[in-house]
């Protein structure tokens, strides 16, 4: 499994390390990590007026069979966005419902 955590200049190194830890923990709880080809987590400042000043967290998980799951969450700070994203992934992952087509989950709490 290859894992990437990317953050813009406003995201600290500590937040990126925390994101990597949380993403790996969530993945290993819900599926066999040998099935994961690539997992990425991207953090950046929200650009829309609605979430001005907040952080957007996008998680993408690509499985070896070609399936892709993507979700996006928003938080007031990086840690809130990370926590919301990995918990949403962990709670919504259903391997029996997953198929090779693209699936996207959006959480905007």
């Amino acid at each position: 499994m290859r894992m990437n955590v990317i953050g813009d200049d406003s995201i600290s190194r500590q937040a990126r390390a925390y994101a990597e830890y949380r993403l790996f923990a969530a993945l290993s709880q819900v599926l066999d990590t040998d099935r994961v080809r690539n997992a990425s987590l991207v953090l950046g400042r929200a650009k829309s007026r609605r979430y001005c000043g907040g952080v957007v967290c996008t998680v993408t998980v690509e499985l070896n069979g070609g399936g892709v799951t993507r979700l996006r969450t928003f938080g007031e700070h990086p840690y809130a966005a990370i926590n919301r994203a990995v918990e949403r992934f962990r709670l919504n992952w259903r391997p029996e419902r997953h198929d090779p087509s693209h699936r996207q989950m959006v959480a905007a709490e």
Side-chain angles (χ1 to χ4, degrees):
M1 171 177 67
R2 207 173 63 158
M3 198 158 67
N4 301 310
V5 174
I6 302 165
D8 66 21
D9 292 339
S10 69
I11 308 299
S12 71
R13 189 170 32 159
Q14 291 93 347
R16 290 191 302 269
Y18 178 76
E20 185 173 359
Y21 168 77
R22 287 296 314 263
L23 179 58
F24 182 78
L27 288 171
S28 63
Q29 286 179 349
V30 297
L31 62 102
D32 178 6
T33 55
D34 289 338
R35 293 182 52 209
V36 178
R37 180 177 61 219
N38 188 38
S40 66
L41 187 147
V42 179
L43 294 165
R45 293 289 166 189
K47 295 186 181 5
S48 72
R49 289 184 187 184
R50 181 176 178 192
Y51 299 106
C52 185
V55 175
V56 178
C57 180
T58 304
V59 174
T60 305
V61 177
E62 300 173 36
L63 298 178
N64 289 327
V68 176
T69 298
R70 179 173 293 128
L71 65 89
R72 179 176 297 143
T73 59
F74 305 91
E76 291 185 22
H77 52 80
Y79 296 94
I82 294 163
N83 289 337
R84 197 169 276 150
V86 297
E87 287 304 309
R88 182 71 50 155
F89 180 82
R90 190 179 62 76
L91 293 172
N92 289 316
W93 178 260
R94 300 287 184 263
E96 65 275 2
R97 288 180 20 206
H98 191 74
D99 62 26
S101 65
H102 177 77
R103 188 172 117 183
Q104 185 167 345
M105 298 180 277
V106 178
E109 295 178 359

